[in-house]
Amino acid sequence: MEYGKIEREIEIDAAPTTVFEVITSPEHLTQWWPDEAVLDPTPRAVGELVFGDRSSGDAQIPQITVIDAQPSRLFSFRWVYPDGEQAGEHNSLLVTFELTPRGSGTLLRMTETGFREKGWEVAVLEQQYREHGAGWDHYLPRLAAYAPTVGVVIP
């Protein structure tokens, strides 16, 4: 197996403008992915995602650096890089969400690259690749279920 790139495509019954908001806004991100998010969807902005309870000390809190943000079209960031370092091509993973209008909805194509470039030992590389693939398989359907509810007023 190559372990170079994770790719997923998912159809979402919401407009690209809505999907972009759902993948870049902390208030929406926490509805389908992390427990907390600090994020400004502006290139070079540094934020964080919190998985777990921050107060317990058991949370995983990866920093993220926004690479590109083109409303309704594309959002990319780097993550999984050492604390105190700037995210770069050889020390982080790159996640890219590409949004394409499809009928009244959106085709979201997610790619995550950089696994080989991290220089991990083979066992760590394989484990990280499997864990990230399983994570996306869990979270992307949650995104697809949540996005159509944004902006819907329940009487």
Side-chain angles (χ1 to χ4, degrees):
M1 185 174 248
E2 177 58 33
Y3 303 112
K5 180 190 294 188
I6 295 172
E7 296 179 282
R8 302 289 187 269
E9 285 189 354
I10 191 163
E11 300 257 349
I12 302 174
D13 191 21
T17 53
T18 300
V19 176
F20 185 81
E21 184 178 333
V22 168
I23 62 175
T24 62
S25 167
E27 69 193 64
H28 293 301
L29 278 167
T30 58
Q31 298 302 307
W32 66 273
W33 193 23
D35 296 299
E36 292 179 49
V38 177
L39 173 67
D40 174 11
T42 304
R44 294 182 300 283
V46 177
E48 65 183 20
L49 303 175
V50 180
F51 297 92
D53 182 4
R54 184 191 298 259
S55 64
S56 74
D58 292 332
Q60 293 181 4
I61 308 175
Q63 280 195 321
I64 65 170
T65 299
V66 176
I67 301 302
D68 199 356
Q70 300 173 30
S72 303
R73 295 186 51 228
L74 181 113
F75 181 62
S76 64
F77 62 89
R78 289 194 171 277
W79 72 329
V80 189
Y81 55 93
D83 288 342
E85 291 186 21
Q86 287 189 334
E89 184 176 328
H90 297 288
N91 73 344
S92 65
L93 301 177
L94 176 65
V95 174
T96 303
F97 294 103
E98 296 174 77
L99 310 176
T100 305
R102 170 115 2 130
S104 62
T106 303
L107 174 67
L108 180 140
R109 181 170 187 250
M110 185 286 307
T111 58
E112 185 173 26
T113 60
F115 291 91
R116 285 226 173 267
E117 292 80 359
K118 291 273 294 172
W120 283 319
E121 294 178 8
V122 173
V124 173
L125 170 65
E126 291 174 358
Q127 176 188 9
Q128 288 293 315
Y129 187 88
R130 277 193 311 274
E131 287 178 3
H132 282 243
W136 292 118
D137 289 342
H138 174 76
Y139 289 112
L140 289 176
R142 291 171 48 123
L143 163 61
Y146 173 71
T149 71
V150 173
V152 174
V153 178
I154 298 173

